[in-house]
Amino acid sequence: MKILLLTTVIVATSYIGYSQQDDGLNITGNIESIFQYLNEDPLIDATQPDSKALINSYMNVFVTYKNFKAGMRMESYLPRIQGYPNRFDGTGLGMRYVGYTNDWVDVTIGSIYEQFGSGMALRTYEDRSLGYDNFLDGARIILRPYKGVTIKGVYGKQRLSFEEGKIVHADGIVRGIDGEVNLNSVIPNFEKSKFKVTLGGSFVSKYQKDNRQDLILPENVGVYGGRIDLRYKRFNLGGEYVVKGQDPSSDNAYIYNYGHAALINFGYSQKGLGIILSAKSVDNMSYRSDRDKDLQDVFINYLPAMNKTHTYNLVATLYPYATQPVGEIAYQAEVLYTIKRKTPLGGKYGMTLNGNFSIAYRPNQNTNGINPNDSSRVTYTSGPFDMSDSLYWRDINFSIYKKFSKKFNLKVSYFNIVLNNDVAKVTGNAHGLIKSNIGVIAAGYKINKKHSVRVELQGLFIEDDDYGNINDNGNWATAVIEYSISPGWFISIIDQYNYGNSNVNNRTHYLYGTFGYIKDATRITLGYGRQRAGLFCVGGVCRFVPASNGLTLSFTQSF
Amino acid sequence: MKKIILLFTILTLAIGVNAQEEKKQKQLPSVQLKDMEGNVVNTAELGLEGPIVISFWATWCSPCKRELNTIHELYPDWQDATGVTLVAVSVDDQKTMNAVSMYVNGKSWEYIILMDPNGDFKRAMGVNNVPHTFLIDKEGNIVYSHNNFALGDEDHLYEEILKLAE
């Protein structure tokens, strides 16, 4: 019997080998493994785990054959590296699906990644660097009955966790339908018009049993909304508005208010100039498939933060801002302008100017005529873009980039960031507004055809708090040097120095060195030293990393 | 014993079949993405002649921008010599997606831009992190990829493109 089975496998394997030659059997995927050996470092609050060593490993395999598709991800935490949800453990299948696709229908059963519109009603996605994966385990159908028309339907339970090598699902069931029409494709004679119109609409509903004795909880909670996207030559204007039904949850302290989210984006661009303006209004829009969960668990929707994603170490990692799902009104403007080459300022290669402004406020919550203790449990009223004067966040930044010669380029940047640490808490050492000014000089020099070097100098200067004391951890300075030999090697050293800490004993150097080897789609890096938590970019790739002291070895491979 | 001989025979045949075949390379997976004008594009049917470079990037990824800005200056020459087309796939999600057209036009890039806000194409291509650059031949086979950017890598990529243009 065993031999028969083996024979079948061999024949099947050789058949697959054959089919790869003739027609579309296609296998893609990737591997990632991160190993850490960590030391105790009380000075920076880095601890040594009991096992001393930690390892995360992943392998994705995606197969398509004619109209069929299948995919899976094996994942392994023995135990998980620092910064990952501490319940992740074991080895097993973390994601898997099968499906069928042709020109007008696409069906998937299993783990589903999907986004409706801008994601404010529904978005399931994986971000491995954050340990985030909220896929829907269930079924999805996508129909394209007519050119320019897309209809999607999803049904499933979200991935909440990965324990003892198994997927753990959220309590509630999520159902959703979304439609989108490109009017230029549908209406005759409109196809060639420079005026382009796309309309869309979504409805999402979650079901979770009432688990409270003292409240009558809505078991089915819906979110619905519409969106529009207009383009005319160099202009574009897009907007989406969604409304949520009564959704008492641990996020909103079990109130019975409705929620809303609105997003408006405007853009103008031509050769050498780009401008964007954005506005957002969010109130009571946390939407999870388990009403009792918190932190980053089982969000059904995604509320994009309205600020620039910074990459310089001190700007990105010390005072970052994320959306407040409970409510915020936010605005953003950004301009990018390239001064033409062969002009006095532009020089031989042109010069790029970039300016960005973003701001977020708490929404106005009107309590006039509302008794917060009555049985309706509606505790305030609020409308779209009805904002208070309570500041959450403000970011003003400029940068100038100029390439002086084939070998040398320079970028100078300034950032002014104000963060309300009482609301968007990033540190335990500060109260109220944290005001910081950051300057960065980054220079690149190409030594010869294969060798190049980059240097960054960064300084963060914090303003005193309202009582005249040094706020948070005071001033910082950072130096980065990166030496690359194309295409295979790099070495980099970063030192972050907290020279302005009010506690002299905490004026620490965070020194970290990385050595890397890249061959085609294989990448091996070895790092050693102290790391702060945050978005960390080195040798060409950016990722989120937690605070630690020790050795990190990482291997990635795509195939 | 007979069974074992049978097994060996089949095994040998199977290996023979596998060894004889000309190894076909990985093809571009089919994913529906939008371009900057909002038109839907199937990644497996880009309809381009000549070699294609697919570069995964994001507005928040400095090395990605360094790569595409470096190639930008060489791109007219590359196109004339090899007929190559560069497709820059932005993995910016909704947070920064709006900044893509601003950056692309502000820098006067002439690449084909596709938007992959939920990472569908990134996942299908097996991309771990950006920048990740692929080279595709005229038959649609993925012949080369590189998961990094350092100055000088553009020359290495061009050498690979030249091999295809021969």
Side-chain angles (χ1 to χ4, degrees), chain A residues 308 333-337 353-357 396-399, chain B residues 102:
Chain A
K308 193 171 177 148
E334 185 164 1
V335 179
L336 188 99
Y337 178 62
L353 310 174
N354 179 224
N356 171 276
F357 171 76
I396 303 167
N397 59 76
F398 302 97
S399 74
Chain B
M102 177 197 76

Side-chain angles (χ1 to χ4, degrees), chain A residues 180 231 269 311 338 486 539 558, chain B residues 34 36 60 105-106 126 148 153:
Chain A
E180 192 170 289
R231 286 160 208 265
S269 60
T311 52
T338 302
S486 169
S558 299
Chain B
K34 282 183 184 168
M36 283 204 308
W60 43 260
N105 286 315
N148 192 52
D153 285 3

